[in-house]
Each structure stands twice: as structure tokens, then as C-alpha cells.
Amino acid sequence: MVDTMFEMPLDPAGVPRGRAMIERAEWAARAFATYDAATVQRIVDATAQAGAARSKEFAEWAVRETGYGVAEHKLLKNLACSTGIAAKYRASDYIDVVIDSSDKMVEVPRPAGVVLALTPSTNPVATVMFKIMLALLTRNAIVISPHPYAKAVCAEAARTMAAAAVAAGAPDGCIQVVEEPSIPLINALMTDPRTDVILATGGTPMVRAAYRSGNPAIGVGPGNVPVLVDATADLNATAQRIVESKSFDNSILCTNESVLIVEESAAAALLNAMTRAGAHLLSDDERDRVRDLVFPEGHFDPKWVGKDATAIAAAANVRVNARTKILVAPFDLVVPEEPLAHEKLCPVLGLVRVPNVSRGIDAAQAVLRITGQGHSAAIHSSNPQTIMAFSAAVRVLRVSVNVGNSLGASGIETNLAPTMTIGTGFLGRSSVGENLEPKHLINWTRIAYNTDALVPMADFAGLTPWHTPTAAVPAYPRASNDLTAAPLVPSTVAMSNDAPDELRDEIRRLIIEELNAIVRG
Amino acid sequence: MSDATALDYGFFSFASKDEVLEKSKEYWNPGKTSFWSESGIPLVIDRREEYFIYDVSGKRLIDAHLNGGTYNLGHRNREMVQAITVAMQHFDMGNHHFPSLARTALAESLIASAPKNLTKVIYGSGGGEAIDIAIKTARHATQKRKILSIIKAYHGHTGLAVGTGDDRFSKLFLSDNEEDFPHVPFNDLEAMEEVLKGRDIAAVIMETIPATYGFPLPNPGYLEAVKQLCEKYDALYIADEVQTGLMRTGELWGITKHGIEPDILVTGKGISGGMYPIAAVLVSERCAGWLTEDGFGHISTFGGAELGCIAALKALEICNRPETRSMVHYISDFIGRGLREIQATYPDWFIGIRQNGVVMGLEFADPQGAKFVMKRLYENGVWAIFSTLDPRVLQYKPGILVKPELAEELLDRTEVGIAKARADVMSERKFR
């Protein structure tokens, strides 16, 4: 009867604390799942504003901490993923019950519960904010495990938003962040039976581990975006868009263009326009030096992730204009042994010239055979037949048309759902084929009546199972004979959004100013 | 195991549960052994994990007694087991005469966790010894002998501690001593002031919520006023936090919820993590004098055993996590609401809920009410004990790491147990 406790493996450092966070999240999720829509809206707004108010600081901090990207672009993403997400889904309802009298059904939304969010180093704060907003919109508790390269800024962003959420009435512990992420800790959190869904945004090994965990997971595959430009495109506008998109945050969105495929008849004009827009077309010698630099031994060197084009050029001993935003590297054949045909999270764009659209589609498919299936592709064309042929043939789940793919596929400059997580679907070994959005974090309980017309359906109008919390959640544990006493050590802040009106107006003004500056810039 | 029914544990074996009970009476404690059998609680604990204990028959019980918070973190808490297992590769109990690594580390952590006037730590091997140390310390600091406690107080069974408690435990051993250990009624400030006025009281000793008396709650302001009276009449305030400490009230030390800085704070039970006995006394600088005057003044071979110190460090760390504090608030809120719903169903029977965090006393409308409830809860898979000094009241002490699903199950079982006990009492009254 003496059992095998002596063989218990030791938990790695940090794992017990991580498990405690999941347990706390479980309590928070239970409480949150009964909240009414109005309260949730207040929490969503307050949290978004708190994130937005520090977006600029977090953008600069993220660049400093990771060494990746461009602060002003990160600011745009941070705003898009905080107040932007709140605005986008203001009219959406993930809380109220839906009554369908004709089908004799009532649908009750049911949050996932505890969401484990893994976030990348490339879009660190934006992804943290994005996943927090999705969790709050759907009344889920979230535990964030940031990439170790960005852990400090992500933790501060999450704590900022958590404090705002709780101050606005959210349950204590509904947003938590792992301060010291590690592989054993992430594995323990992913495989914990109390984790209800994993949102895995990051490298392929991590995403595959999420799917192996035994828990429901929404993970995404890598991108490797082909962009086709045919002779019918508006070449000046296309050139501008591609350079802007490829240089956006120095290419660290997984939606950045990887290989430009241009119809030969349009190539000269397009490349001239791109050069005017800030591209440097590499000569064959220069290309070889850049390739050797960025792909030593044929493998991408992560130290170039998100670095400036001028820095890469300098390191490759390529003289470029100081205003150069991207380097264009021509090559002939899209094959696996060509490093430049692989994903490049830096402002180096592969270039392939093709005699016609049909060969262009073949080349795009070749890019995706290397990696990136299910992710995204872009096309610049005014010919619907070409766009249709391209989209049907190329194995991706979103095709951006006449727009830069960085912000196009991620829904910021298209009407796709704005996202930091691109579902790659069955093609890309993922459970979700759309851009990740709030609806992916709920299930619905369906109350289904007998179809027999003789069995009437009751009237559910006006019934709601949800509550408006009237005090902090959970209540502070006061002695039962002294329930009115104020706690000496307050656990949470009061229900209302305590920021005085002037402060809130000031925050709003700052956000609008920042947005305007970006639009103008 | 040669015989499927035998209880073979490698270290020892019994042919059956009956054999255990017989030998328990023969060699150990006949009174206690018979008491439980006759009370309908024929429990001999076998397996134990999380908040579950199992009778040797396999019957599973949710532990809502926790031995007064000893199993605050659950039974054989995974982190506790790991900590002690690792510690045993290097440490043993240590040598109580010398400065020690683990004792020093724990003392520093305890002081960091406590009200800021507390500056030094003295170790005991259990709560009783710790109370004795607290009393000795108060006597040394004030050069006064008398210790004032409340009627029906309970602070342990050791030489001095037993005097502070109910005479049920002191007279038996001819240890009652009202002269040195006067008692006044709980929640009665006038009575307390009347005694303190004599200025011959070294210290008032108070459990922040008196456990064995069924957790009667101090009236709002009572403890604060007692502390003021202590200051007025030059008596020390000893906070017995053995059952109310370690996050059970939703703060690490229950006394801090009253804004009181006690002169002496005693912790035991839960600080062991349920794995290695240890207790500690935290004292103010004023009280710490004897540690300088004669550091060998209180000697305890097992007090502050280094393995115990490591257990305590781990227990303190777990209790003090923000996640734990948050969970205690959720658990307290959830179970409190659940109990009020049950009370609303049986208002004539389940007449009161005394609650502060997960410290709970459930009052029933019969002088022996909690004994009926205890028995029915046992049948329905919950272990909670009546209050020795007020058997109307059931001590109901859920753990501080209880999960939502277990909290739900506990309430389900509790509701049925309370209903059945009510029926028992009603039918018994009919035949009286």
C-alpha cells in the first residue's frame, strides 16, 4: 500500500507557480462567465484604453527589449489591438442569448474558460493586447506566456491591462502573465487539464507542441508570402504598397511579402517605381553577399529578424541610399535549395520574373511548397480572371488584393478580421482557417425543441442567465458579523472606472493624436 | 500482499481494520479509539492526497477539518513533498545549539511576512510548545506572571498553555491554576478591563478567532479594544494565529485584518505544510530581550528542526502567493454563498454561519447539533469536526487551494449531511 510517491519527478522551477495561475484563472473564468453584456463592454473599453494609453511606451520598449522592428509601426499595431479591437467588435455580441423561434432553438454562449496564450517576440505587445481583448470580449480568463525575448514589456502590458480590467469590475485574476517563461513551464501549462484552449502564436515547434498537448489548441503555421504582380496592376501604387508593407515593422509580421513574382512585361516599370519608393534592387554580386549574410550555410540567421535594410546592407558590404527601406534580391528559380525562396522576417524581398501569369501562379505555388501553406498570398492586378485563378490555385486561406499583405492579411487594411494570429487551417495543420477573432473562444449551448408543431416553444424573450456584479469579484472576505467593514488591505478596486473624467478625456485625446499622426505619417 | 484484505504497508502490517482498532485500544488510546467507533466515525486513515483522506476500507472523505489548518495546503501537497524530499538529501533536524542555515532563512522570511514590529523568531516543535515560549517570553519581558485568556480558550496542552484553556484539559492533570491564569468571557471588554486594571497581567493571549470554541467571531472592534487595554495597563498582546494564520482569513495573518501589531504572534499547524512538525513564535524587540540576555533560556531539540524549517519556508511561500490569496477570496465567497443557500433551506436547524475567509463555524439548533452533522457528513464523504467546547457548532474548514469543482462537491455533500442530521434530531426529539 505504500505508493510510488518517492518516484515523483521534481517540478522544474516556476512550474508550481504557473499551475497556481491556472487554478486562479479557473476561479476567475467561472465568475466571468456569468457577467452581463453591459459590464463586459465597460471592462473591454477600460482595458483597451489602458493599453492604448501606454502603447507608444510599450512600442519603444518592445523594440529596445527584442532588438526587432520599428517603434512607430508597433505603436500602430498596439493601438489596433487595443482600442481598435474594442471598436471593431463593439456591435458584436458574444454574451446575450440568441432566440431562433423559427428553428425552435435558443443559443447560450459558453466561454472556453481558461485561455493559455503564447505570444511571440516579433509582435510581442500587440499579440498580448490582442489576445487579452479577445478573452475579455468573450468572458474568458487568460494566462499569457510571453516569448522570453519580450517578457518584460509583455508582462508590464498585461499587468497594466489586468489592473484596468479589475478596476472596471472584471474578476480578480482574469488576466495573468507568466513573468519568467521557460520551456518546462510552457509545457506544464499547455498540458494542464485545467487549460481549456491554447492560443499558440509563434514558431512551428511551439505550435506543434500545443497541438500535441492533449488540450484544445488554436495554433497557426508559418507564412511565406508570395505576391504576384501582373501587367494589369497599377504599378506605381503597387510599388508603393509593396515597399511600405515589406518595410512595415521591418518585416516581422508573418504576413510580410517574401517573394515578389512579377510578370516580365511589367517588371522594369514596377522595379523603377519600387526604387523610387525606397527599394534597393541588388545586383547579382550584392544579392550573393546578402544571401550569404542572412542565410549563412543556407539557414536563416535569426539575428537579422526585424533589422533595418540599411543595417543588413552595411553588414553585407552593399552600398545603399540611407533612405533605403527594403532590399530586393532577384533569383531565377523557386526551389527549396534557394534560400531566398524561404520565409524572411527581415526587409529582404525575393524577386522572380515570370513570362506570364500562368507561370507566376506556378511560382507562387512553388513558394508555398517550401513553407507557408494555409497562410496568405497577395496579388496586384485589375483582372478578375487572374485574381480568381491565382486564388483558387495557390494553397492559402486569404489572398490580399491590391493592398500590402502585412496589414492586408492581418485585417488592418482589409475587412478581414483584424488579428495577430492567422489561422492556417487544414492546409497549414491548424484547427482554424480564419483570422483569429473573438468567436473562436466560445462555444454555444443549444436549447433545441421538439420539431413537432404540436410541441410549443416557450417564450424566452427578456430572459437572461447573466448578472451584473454589484461589488468586487470575488468579495473581500470580511467577517460575517462585520460585513460592512472596509478591508484594511483592499483586494481590488471599486467597481466604477475610477479615472476622473479629465484623465479619461486626456487619454482619449492622446490616442486620437497618435492615430492621426500615424495616418498623416 | 499475501492476503487481499490484509493491511500491509511494508513497515508494518495488520490482518484487518478490526485488528488495528483492537490493538489501538490495547497499546495506544482506548478512550479515543472507542469514542470514534461509538460516534459512528470508524475512521482509520490510509491514503491521503490533495484534500482527500481515505479510510482503510477505501471510503473517500473530503477533509474539511484539516486538523485546524495543518492540511491547509492539502495532504502530501506535491510541492511540500518535493521540498522535503530534496532537503533530506542534505539536511537532517540540525543541531539546536548552533546558528543554522535553515532556521535563519525561515526566521528572515517569517519576519518579512509579519506585522513590522515583530523582529525575532523563536522555534518550537509544535503549537503547544510555541505557546509556552510566548508565555515565558511575556513573563520575562514584563516581569509579571499572570496570563489572561478567555473562558473556553484553547491554546494547547503543554505545561503553560494548558492553563490558559478550559479546565476540561487542566483539571484532569491537576494543572488548573486560576491564580496565574485568570479567564474572562469572550467579547466582554468590561470584564477584561476589570482584570487588567490590577496591572499584574503579563499578557492577554487571544486566538484571533477561537477555534475550539466553535469560531465565535470577535465583535467588531473587540480585538482592537483589547489591544488598547493591553497598552493602557502594560500587558502584552499575544496573537495565537495557529488556526487563523497562513491565509485562512484571506490575509496571511488574520490579526492584520484588525490592524493590530501584536507583541507576540504564534504560528503552528499549517506552517508545517502537514509534513514536518514545526511551530514558531514571532516577537517584538521589546519581548526579545531574553534571547540576548540568555540565548539558551529555552532549549528545544526538535524546535526549529532544519527539515521543518524547509517545510515551513515552502508552506509560507505557497500561502503568500498572490494566486493563493486570490483563490482564498474566491473559495470564501463561493462556499459562503453556498452555505447561506443551504441555511435558507433549513433555517430552523442550520441557524448560524460564522465566517471569516475559510475559517467557518456552522451553528445548529441543538446543544449537540454538530455531532449529528459530523456523523452524517462522514457518511456522505465529508470530514468536519464538532467544536469540543461548544458542540452546537461544527468547525468547517475548507482548504485554501480548493478547486471550484471540489468546492461544488463539498457543498452538495454538506447539504445532504445537514438535511439528514436535521431529520435525525427531529425524530429523536419526537421520542424524547
Side-chain angles (χ1 to χ4, degrees):
Chain A
M1 294 225 183
V2 173
D3 58 32
T4 54
M5 59 172 259
F6 300 108
E7 290 159 26
M8 177 188 282
L10 294 180
D11 292 323
V15 167
R17 180 87 191 272
R19 292 199 179 109
M21 293 173 80
I22 297 277
E23 188 62 58
R24 180 187 188 185
E26 197 177 19
W27 278 104
R30 287 198 165 216
F32 207 5
T34 67
Y35 274 43
D36 69 308
T39 307
V40 170
Q41 187 62 57
R42 197 173 67 223
I43 293 165
V44 163
D45 286 340
T47 309
Q49 282 170 23
R54 294 186 68 186
S55 274
K56 186 159 183 284
E57 177 196 347
F58 291 147
E60 289 160 0
W61 183 347
V63 172
R64 207 162 55 237
E65 187 174 353
T66 62
Y68 303 158
V70 179
E72 67 178 284
H73 298 154
K74 288 187 183 297
L75 168 60
L76 173 67
K77 287 191 291 184
N78 292 349
L79 292 170
C81 289
S82 52
T83 41
I85 292 289
K88 167 78 181 177
Y89 294 107
R90 184 166 307 280
S92 306
D93 188 344
Y94 304 101
I95 296 167
D96 290 316
V97 298
V98 177
I99 301 167
D100 182 344
S101 305
S102 59
D103 274 349
K104 296 173 81 173
M105 286 217 276
V106 180
E107 300 181 324
V108 183
R110 192 168 284 282
V114 177
V115 176
L116 173 64
L118 307 175
T119 62
S121 60
T122 46
N123 305 298
V125 177
T127 308
V128 166
M129 290 180 165
F130 172 68
K131 291 182 175 179
I132 287 174
M133 295 310 298
L134 261 53
L136 293 181
L137 281 159
T138 49
R139 302 181 297 172
N140 282 292
I142 184 166
V143 175
I144 297 150
S145 178
H147 192 284
Y149 289 0
K151 64 186 179 186
V153 66
C154 288
E156 181 61 14
R159 283 192 300 260
T160 300
M161 294 175 83
V166 171
D172 184 50
C174 69
I175 302 170
Q176 297 177 79
V177 61
V178 170
E179 311 258 345
E180 289 298 332
S182 69
I183 299 290
L185 173 55
I186 291 165
N187 278 334
L189 297 178
M190 287 199 301
T191 55
D192 194 303
R194 298 165 294 188
T195 294
D196 292 301
V197 63
I198 304 165
L199 300 182
T201 310
T204 301
M206 187 264 276
V207 171
R208 297 329 307 167
Y211 277 113
R212 275 197 306 276
S213 69
N215 279 322
I218 301 176
V220 297
N224 190 26
V225 179
V227 48
L228 177 64
V229 180
D230 77 3
T232 71
D234 174 344
L235 296 178
N236 279 325
T238 299
Q240 192 75 36
R241 289 176 196 134
I242 291 175
V243 173
E244 288 304 318
S245 176
K246 183 64 191 171
S247 60
F248 186 82
D249 211 4
N250 280 341
S251 291
I252 62 179
L253 284 171
C254 57
T255 48
N256 86 85
E257 286 84 349
S258 180
V259 178
L260 167 60
I261 302 159
V262 57
E263 200 174 1
E264 184 61 60
S265 59
L270 177 72
L271 289 167
N272 279 335
M274 284 176 68
T275 303
R276 287 195 300 277
H280 176 90
L281 180 61
L282 298 166
S283 69
D284 286 358
D285 282 351
E286 290 173 339
R287 181 226 27 229
D288 290 347
R289 290 204 296 279
V290 168
R291 180 163 51 201
D292 289 346
L293 176 77
V294 177
F295 289 93
E297 313 287 325
H299 297 291
F300 184 71
D301 182 347
K303 86 175 183 199
W304 297 110
V305 169
K307 289 292 188 295
D308 289 343
T310 49
I312 295 170
N317 199 21
V318 173
R319 290 180 58 131
V320 298
N321 185 309
R323 289 188 301 278
T324 298
K325 293 177 174 173
I326 69 169
L327 306 177
V328 179
F331 61 96
D332 294 330
L333 187 58
V334 180
V335 284
E337 64 266 32
E338 170 52 65
L340 292 166
H342 290 246
E343 188 181 26
K344 296 167 286 295
L345 295 175
C346 66
V348 176
L349 178 65
L351 169 67
V352 176
R353 297 165 202 247
V354 290
N356 54 45
V357 163
S358 171
R359 288 296 301 135
I361 293 173
D362 292 343
Q365 287 175 298
V367 169
L368 292 160
R369 276 199 300 275
I370 296 170
T371 186
Q373 292 200 16
H375 206 282
S376 48
I379 183 167
H380 297 263
S381 170
S382 55
N383 183 340
Q385 286 177 338
T386 302
I387 296 168
M388 181 61 81
F390 178 81
S391 304
V394 173
R395 291 162 68 85
V396 294
L397 295 175
R398 52 196 67 65
V399 175
S400 310
V401 181
N402 297 336
V403 65
N405 198 65
S406 282
L407 298 180
S410 55
I412 292 171
E413 292 182 350
T414 62
N415 287 318
L416 293 169
T419 200
M420 287 292 119
T421 301
I422 305 283
T424 51
F426 305 127
L427 291 169
R429 303 176 74 197
S430 173
S431 56
V432 168
E434 300 164 289
N435 286 2
L436 185 71
E437 58 178 295
K439 71 175 183 185
H440 296 119
L441 297 184
I442 50 172
N443 289 149
W444 295 83
T445 296
R446 294 189 166 82
I447 304 170
Y449 269 78
N450 191 332
T451 52
D452 188 337
L454 294 175
V455 180
M457 179 180 173
D459 181 9
F460 289 89
L463 289 184
T464 177
W466 316 135
H467 308 287
T468 307
T470 53
V473 175
Y476 184 81
R478 298 183 173 93
S480 57
N481 65 342
D482 194 16
L483 291 174
T484 55
L488 282 156
V489 193
S491 63
T492 47
V493 201
M495 282 296 300
S496 61
N497 185 354
D498 275 349
D501 287 349
E502 315 87 76
L503 178 58
R504 254 178 283 148
D505 290 346
E506 174 68 9
I507 292 169
R508 227 173 269 134
R509 192 184 59 75
L510 281 172
I511 293 165
I512 290 164
E513 250 177 32
E514 280 169 351
L515 281 168
N516 285 341
I518 289 159
V519 171
R520 281 196 305 270
Chain B
M1 267 187 286
S2 53
D3 175 349
T5 61
L7 303 172
D8 184 350
Y9 296 82
F11 305 108
F12 52 80
S13 64
F14 296 96
S16 65
K17 183 173 175 179
D18 285 342
E19 190 198 350
V20 179
L21 293 174
E22 278 165 31
K23 288 189 170 171
S24 176
K25 277 190 236 181
E26 187 178 352
Y27 297 109
W28 181 62
N29 189 324
K32 228 180 218 183
T33 307
S34 304
F35 174 83
W36 290 117
S37 295
E38 287 155 16
S39 301
I41 314 282
L43 176 64
V44 176
I45 299 168
D46 180 13
R47 234 156 31 93
R48 47 211 96 179
E49 62 196 9
E50 299 178 20
Y51 289 105
F52 302 117
I53 49 180
Y54 295 78
D55 180 59
V56 291
S57 68
K59 178 183 175 63
R60 190 194 79 164
L61 295 150
I62 299 172
D63 191 351
H65 169 212
L66 304 179
N67 291 45
T70 304
Y71 301 108
N72 215 16
L73 306 175
H75 291 270
R76 291 170 55 243
N77 176 288
R78 183 184 171 90
E79 286 186 70
M80 292 302 312
V81 172
Q82 290 187 5
I84 295 166
T85 305
V86 170
M88 280 195 296
Q89 311 310 308
H90 190 85
F91 292 95
D92 54 17
M93 289 196 298
N95 184 318
H96 56 287
H97 286 306
F98 292 98
S100 117
L101 298 166
R103 272 195 295 279
T104 305
L106 174 61
E108 187 177 5
S109 284
L110 281 168
I111 291 304
S113 80
K116 61 180 182 304
N117 66 309
L118 300 175
T119 58
K120 287 205 167 44
V121 176
I122 309 153
Y123 294 110
S125 52
E129 184 188 353
I131 294 288
D132 280 14
I133 293 169
I135 291 172
K136 287 171 25 167
T137 298
R139 285 177 167 177
H140 176 270
T142 60
Q143 292 299 305
K144 297 193 269 194
R145 183 174 294 272
K146 292 185 177 180
I147 304 295
L148 180 56
S149 56
I150 61 159
I151 293 169
K152 302 278 184 191
Y154 177 94
H155 299 283
H157 295 267
T158 46
L160 299 174
V162 76
T164 63
D166 191 72
D167 62 14
R168 175 188 183 307
F169 299 116
S170 53
K171 280 192 165 159
L172 180 67
F173 301 110
L174 317 183
S175 299
D176 49 319
N177 178 3
E178 193 66 22
E179 175 64 24
D180 285 348
F181 294 96
H183 294 77
V184 294
F186 184 54
N187 271 335
D188 184 340
L189 285 168
E190 278 179 30
M192 183 160 285
E193 181 159 20
E194 201 52 41
V195 178
L196 285 171
K197 264 182 190 163
R199 291 188 176 269
D200 60 349
I201 302 293
V204 172
I205 184 167
M206 295 284 291
E207 274 191 289
T208 304
I209 308 169
T212 311
Y213 196 7
F215 298 121
L217 296 172
N219 290 336
Y222 172 69
L223 295 179
E224 294 84 340
V226 170
K227 178 66 167 64
Q228 282 170 6
L229 289 175
C230 288
E231 288 167 13
K232 186 172 173 186
Y233 297 111
D234 191 33
L236 299 175
Y237 185 105
I238 303 172
D240 180 345
E241 284 275 319
V242 171
Q243 293 223 28
T244 48
L246 300 169
M247 209 47 92
R248 294 201 57 75
T249 66
E251 299 296 349
L252 189 69
W253 305 112
I255 197 70
T256 61
K257 289 176 83 173
H258 297 271
I260 291 174
E261 291 191 343
D263 301 287
I264 299 174
L265 183 152
V266 180
T267 181
K269 292 197 188 288
I271 195 74
S272 70
M275 293 300 298
Y276 199 104
I278 185 166
V281 185
L282 283 63
V283 301
S284 68
E285 207 51 35
R286 176 187 172 194
C287 295
W290 70 264
L291 292 165
T292 308
E293 185 184 325
D294 180 359
F296 291 84
H298 178 92
I299 292 180
S300 176
T301 307
F302 294 171
E306 290 197 276
L307 285 171
C309 288
I310 288 162
L313 272 167
K314 182 53 74 177
L316 192 64
E317 181 207 327
I318 298 171
C319 290
N320 224 356
R321 284 179 188 151
E323 292 81 15
T324 304
R325 182 173 178 274
S326 177
M327 280 189 269
V328 173
H329 294 192
Y330 275 111
I331 296 163
S332 159
D333 187 33
F334 181 82
I335 294 184
R337 272 185 287 124
L339 288 173
R340 288 193 291 277
E341 281 173 26
I342 296 170
Q343 191 183 13
T345 312
Y346 309 104
D348 59 337
W349 165 236
F350 182 8
I351 58 172
I353 300 170
R354 303 161 171 181
Q355 182 184 2
N356 192 342
V358 290
V359 174
M360 303 183 201
L362 315 186
E363 279 180 83
F364 297 93
D366 186 276
Q368 301 290 316
K371 291 186 177 173
F372 291 90
V373 179
M374 174 181 75
K375 180 167 179 286
R376 287 301 195 174
L377 284 178
Y378 180 82
E379 286 169 11
N380 286 285
V382 176
W383 171 231
I385 197 168
F386 67 94
S387 304
T388 308
L389 302 179
D390 187 357
R392 295 180 310 120
V393 182
L394 186 79
Q395 296 184 26
Y396 192 79
K397 296 179 269 198
I400 65 171
L401 301 177
V402 162
K403 296 171 184 176
E405 288 184 1
L406 184 62
E408 287 175 348
E409 183 188 329
L410 175 63
L411 285 169
D412 290 350
R413 292 176 183 274
T414 300
E415 193 272 336
V416 170
I418 286 175
K420 287 189 167 171
R422 178 179 178 275
D424 293 341
V425 170
M426 296 304 161
S427 71
E428 191 170 276
R429 281 180 188 169
K430 248 184 247 171
F431 296 110
R432 262 181 205 165

